[in-house]
Amino acid sequence: MRKQIVAGNWKMNLLRDEAWELINGIREELDNHTASPSEYSDLVVIPPFPWLRDAVDLTRNEDRISVGAQNCHYESKGAFTGEVSPDMLSSAGSEYVIIGHSERRQNFSEGHQMLKKKVASAIEKDLSPIFCCGEPLEVREENTHQEWIEKQLNESLFHLSNENFQKVIIAYEPIWAIGTGKTASPEQAQEMHAYIRRMVRENYGDRIAKDTSILYGGSVKSANAQDLFSQEDIDGGLIGGASLKVQDFIKIYYSF
Ligand code: PGA
């Protein structure tokens, strides 16, 4: 059965004491709820690199919270000043890594081939990649968003073996909805999620398609999370802005 996941992408936000406060706040809120929303749910915090190890330490002996990273290089080590390898993330205790966020594709020129290499090396180091795909506004307006997403998945993901693909989480994040306050409607999101699952089915068969978690991202808030998460093919969210506030993030987590 596929997991329901709410992952908080902090992006380049929060100083160290604020990061501690947020994680401790999340832990306290979880203590106030007697159970997780479901046996198959996972709450993930994805801080900037300097606080990754703090997050792992603060959530030690804590099976309710997992930790992820926002990016990695595809090489294991070497002369890549400023980069962080998947081996380092694993060794620091990270379980997940975001690959191909639109901010990295746009601002750091990360293309299909580079992302393909990143996905493969993350999996090799036992990380679960949260692979982001999503179309810009003009593509949505031209009504070619399905082809756009198909290309992103074909070029960077569908080379994986059946076994390796099962470690992948897909996040559909329409660029026009990220940080804009403009969420895709539950119907628009469901349509794309169903389409993505169909592509996974064509490449990997029915069982793997049913077991793949597909998250929605783009202005998810406590006010719209329930409507989005109640859609058949939406298995949770990748949350930016609203993951920086304990109450908002917890409300989203309990929206399943
Ligand atoms: P947002 O960001 O929730 O602030 O729109 C989502 C993301 O970029 O993952």
Side-chain angles (χ1 to χ4, degrees), residues 9 11 101 103 173 177-180 217-220 238-242:
N9 173 14
K11 308 192 180 183
H101 191 282
E103 286 153 14
E173 300 204 302
I178 296 179
T180 57
S219 298
V220 178
L238 183 56
I239 323 295

Side-chain angles (χ1 to χ4, degrees), residues 116-203:
K116 178 179 180 177
K117 289 199 240 174
K118 289 188 178 203
V119 167
S121 24
I123 292 174
E124 204 181 303
K125 299 304 164 203
D126 250 355
L127 296 163
S128 283
I130 301 178
F131 181 82
C132 299
C133 57
E135 78 285 356
L137 185 60
E138 58 277 16
V139 168
R140 168 67 60 166
E141 284 171 351
E142 279 166 9
N143 204 25
T144 52
H145 45 288
Q146 293 192 339
E147 290 85 338
W148 183 274
I149 301 301
E150 189 171 348
K151 186 168 172 63
Q152 289 184 324
L153 300 183
N154 269 333
E155 299 276 334
S156 306
L157 267 196
F158 289 158
H159 63 288
L160 294 170
S161 66
N162 282 23
E163 190 193 344
N164 282 346
F165 185 81
Q166 293 177 70
K167 301 192 181 121
V168 173
I169 290 136
I170 297 176
Y172 170 60
E173 300 204 302
I175 298 173
W176 45 272
I178 296 179
T180 57
K182 210 176 174 189
T183 324
S185 69
E187 295 72 28
Q188 280 175 320
Q190 164 59 26
E191 187 195 23
M192 282 312 291
H193 282 231
Y195 182 74
I196 291 169
R197 200 176 305 284
R198 199 154 64 238
M199 276 191 293
V200 175
R201 186 173 296 117
E202 279 164 17
N203 283 276

